[in-house]
Amino acid sequence: MFKLSQETIAIVTVGLALAGLDVHGRIEARADREAIRAEASAEREAIRAEGRADRAEAQAARDAIRAEARADREAFERHITRLTQGQSRLTGIVEQMRTAGR
């Protein structure tokens, strides 16, 4: 049978311990990277969701402004139409008075 010296056994043992630490370190590093990737992915999704919400809010504000502008324009058109009709009536009355006075 093959006999190993105590020094050889110690060197092999230390080598195996170092190899175990290296493997453990790599596994831990991989787990850390995966956790960081998952966290980054969640943060990106949160930012995207916030962006979508902001865009929807901005679109709602634009729609409200357009609706208000449309209502103002329609009210202005009605007012101008009433003024024009009143002016037409006054013009007709003045014309009748001129015609009647001749």
Side-chain angles (χ1 to χ4, degrees), residues 7-97:
E7 292 84 13
T8 305
I9 293 172
I11 291 170
V12 170
T13 303
V14 169
L16 288 173
L18 289 174
L21 286 173
D22 184 51
V23 169
H24 177 71
R26 288 174 190 244
I27 290 171
E28 201 170 87
R30 181 178 298 142
D32 288 345
R33 283 192 306 269
E34 289 174 4
I36 290 170
R37 280 189 195 118
E39 183 180 341
S41 178
E43 288 176 1
R44 278 192 306 272
E45 186 53 40
I47 290 169
R48 286 182 186 129
E50 185 178 335
R52 284 190 295 270
D54 289 347
R55 284 190 296 278
E57 184 179 329
Q59 182 63 44
R62 283 192 299 270
D63 291 345
I65 290 169
R66 286 183 183 127
E68 185 178 341
R70 188 177 316 112
D72 289 347
R73 187 174 52 249
E74 290 170 355
F76 181 74
E77 288 173 358
R78 285 192 300 275
H79 184 68
I80 292 297
T81 301
R82 278 195 306 275
L83 290 174
T84 303
Q85 290 171 346
Q87 181 67 36
S88 296
R89 278 194 297 267
L90 288 175
T91 302
I93 291 170
V94 169
E95 197 58 40
Q96 284 179 349
M97 291 172 67

